[in-house]
Amino acid sequence: MTPDQQPSHTSPSQAEEQSALAAAAKRTRRSFLITGALGLAGLAGWRWLDTRPTVDGIPAPLRKVLDFNAGLSNSYYKNTRLAPEFTRSRARQIRVNGKVGLRGEFDPAAWQLNVQGYAPAGSAPRTQIFTIEQIKALPRTEMTVEFKCIEGWSTIVTWAGVRLSDFLARYPLATRSGQAIADVNQPPADAAPYVGLVTPDEQYYVGLELESALHPQTLLCYEMNGQPLTPEHGAPLRLVSALKYGVKQIKRIGTMSFTDVRPADYWAKLGYDWHAGH
Ligand SMILES: Nc1nc2c(c(=O)[nH]1)N[C@H]1C(S)=C(S)[C@@H](COP(=O)(O)O)O[C@H]1N2
Ligand SMILES: [Mo]
């Protein structure tokens, strides 16, 4: 990361970084051992698995391995851990990939962001509507990061927009009480655990844990490589996250909601990993 491009927030102490890495390495070794043991057990192992109780339709022992991986993802996704950033000169044109939710009739001039706030206990969500001007009036953040697609390609891109955390600091829609999330590392106890994002036609949708949504490299993005976002890249507003694969970086956001349960996720539903990154 170059000092001139570094986002403005405190970096973790070396000790914190070391202990997080050590804990993650330990978990990796453990799940590696379990996977290895299952491999050795071979066919007998698979037969045995068949007789095990299932959790979410997955044999309990395999579910445990997946849970280790989720734990690994969570421990990596501390908001003090940053993806590398690059100088702007390294940025390139990115291909257009994925048009689900972008095909129908769409009038960018009539676009609005519909936000369904976290419901106060026992009542309906508080809905608030935003124009692109209101979004652009919030503090602007620019970052040059590597965009990675699960298909195996990656491109360095300069993005600009507003941090989702800055949006939530200004518009307190993620807590039951309606208090703002002032400190991303200590969200209030009544903050929603999940954020769901959906295209205006509801054809593409992603879910994020609140922690990922509050990460300093998670942006509501309206600009790419110094130009306004084009429709095929998600104008007027898309999600960009430096630590998630492309599948989570939904183009043309129509609705954002804050929920108790994991929101529907287009690619997770088709069998891809729900976290899709750290
Ligand atoms: N609405 C919508 N957003 C989407 C997709 C999609 O099909 N529809 N595809 C995703 C995938 S798999 C990738 S790799 C990126 C590609 O973004 P780009 O077209 O700006 O390169 O968009 C993501 N966001
Ligand atoms: Mo992708």
Side-chain angles (χ1 to χ4, degrees):
M1 195 181 321
T2 58
D4 59 318
Q5 299 281 313
Q6 195 158 11
S8 54
H9 66 94
T10 45
S11 45
S13 76
Q14 288 239 308
E16 273 169 11
E17 184 101 356
Q18 288 296 334
S19 74
L21 279 173
K26 203 163 149 195
R27 268 190 219 96
T28 312
R29 275 196 300 277
R30 233 146 87 202
S31 47
F32 191 74
L33 286 176
I34 290 175
T35 316
L38 285 172
L40 281 178
L43 191 55
W46 280 111
R47 292 224 176 96
W48 171 77
L49 273 178
D50 266 350
T51 67
R52 294 305 95 192
T54 61
V55 182
D56 294 345
I58 295 168
L62 285 188
R63 183 67 253 174
K64 273 192 182 151
V65 175
L66 289 178
D67 287 344
F68 274 132
N69 291 342
L72 180 67
S73 175
N74 288 338
S75 77
Y76 255 111
Y77 212 139
K78 285 297 163 227
N79 286 341
T80 43
R81 295 189 59 88
L82 296 176
E85 297 200 17
F86 305 87
T87 52
R88 271 190 82 153
S89 61
R90 302 263 318 260
R92 296 287 176 271
Q93 267 313 114
I94 183 173
R95 75 184 71 174
V96 174
N97 207 54
K99 292 194 172 170
V100 182
L102 307 183
R103 291 193 184 98
E105 287 273 303
F106 180 68
D107 178 6
W111 177 91
Q112 292 183 315
L113 177 67
N114 187 311
V115 184
Q116 292 163 8
Y118 197 32
S123 42
R126 295 162 285 133
T127 298
Q128 201 168 330
I129 305 276
F130 295 87
T131 61
I132 195 68
E133 288 73 30
Q134 284 173 298
I135 307 279
K136 286 184 177 167
L138 292 166
R140 176 192 156 92
T141 295
E142 189 176 296
M143 63 180 188
T144 301
V145 294
E146 193 175 15
F147 182 100
K148 295 183 195 155
C149 172
I150 46 174
E151 290 166 4
W153 54 270
S154 71
T155 308
I156 294 174
V157 182
T158 300
W159 306 103
V162 56
R163 284 188 181 131
L164 192 42
S165 63
D166 286 340
F167 176 84
L168 292 174
R170 169 69 181 79
Y171 296 107
L173 288 155
T175 55
R176 284 199 196 283
S177 58
Q179 65 178 312
I181 301 179
D183 178 356
V184 294
N185 292 309
Q186 278 175 327
D190 68 341
Y194 295 106
V195 183
L197 299 160
V198 185
T199 54
D201 68 359
E202 301 182 5
Q203 294 297 303
Y204 199 82
Y205 36 87
V206 300
L208 296 174
E209 259 134 20
L210 184 69
E211 195 183 11
S212 309
L214 294 176
H215 188 277
Q217 291 169 314
T218 300
L219 306 185
L220 296 172
C221 164
Y222 46 75
E223 219 178 273
M224 195 181 85
N225 291 341
Q227 300 293 324
L229 209 55
T230 56
E232 63 273 22
H233 287 294
L237 197 66
R238 76 175 294 169
L239 190 79
V240 169
S241 158
L243 297 187
K244 295 278 180 189
Y245 278 99
V247 285
K248 290 284 186 188
Q249 305 189 38
I250 182 173
K251 301 187 276 193
R252 196 189 286 175
I253 303 168
T255 301
M256 172 157 61
S257 60
F258 296 90
T259 58
D260 281 322
V261 291
R262 261 192 190 186
D265 188 279
Y266 186 89
W267 283 106
K269 209 156 112 184
L270 295 173
Y272 283 82
D273 176 57
W274 195 85
H275 293 277
H278 297 318

